[in-house]
Amino acid sequence: MYYDDAIAEWPPMDSSVVLLSDSDHNLTSALLPTGAQVRPGDANDYWVSFNHVDSGYSAVTQSGWAETFNSSGRLISRARST
């Protein structure tokens, strides 16, 4: 969720994901509400999307990999995205 205007109250941390990017604004990792930090499967790749799904979190990398993590940060699946 993004906000264009200043907000008085942020969502609770126990339900928020902190997205981390490099100096070129490429999404390089995410800090999950459980405290686990997850990164793309390939250290030289970055995510172009990162979303909450029923099984945890789903991300798609710039090179076309779909990655799914459970809520504790364990990689559940990694497959070529179509």
Side-chain angles (χ1 to χ4, degrees):
M1 180 179 298
Y2 294 93
Y3 296 95
D4 291 332
D5 297 323
I7 59 170
E9 186 176 325
W10 288 94
M13 283 302 295
D14 63 349
S15 64
S16 299
V17 174
V18 178
L19 302 176
L20 306 169
S21 58
D22 63 15
S23 60
D24 293 323
H25 304 286
N26 297 317
L27 183 55
T28 58
S29 65
L31 185 60
L32 305 181
T34 59
Q37 187 171 5
V38 294
R39 294 179 171 82
D42 179 348
N44 296 315
D45 208 354
Y46 57 88
W47 292 315
V48 294
S49 69
F50 192 92
N51 300 292
H52 183 266
V53 294
D54 289 338
S55 59
Y57 301 91
S58 177
V60 176
T61 69
Q62 184 271 332
S63 64
W65 289 95
E67 301 173 332
T68 303
F69 301 87
N70 68 12
S71 60
S72 65
R74 185 174 64 85
L75 181 64
I76 297 171
S77 67
R78 185 171 193 261
R80 270 291 185 197
S81 177
T82 56

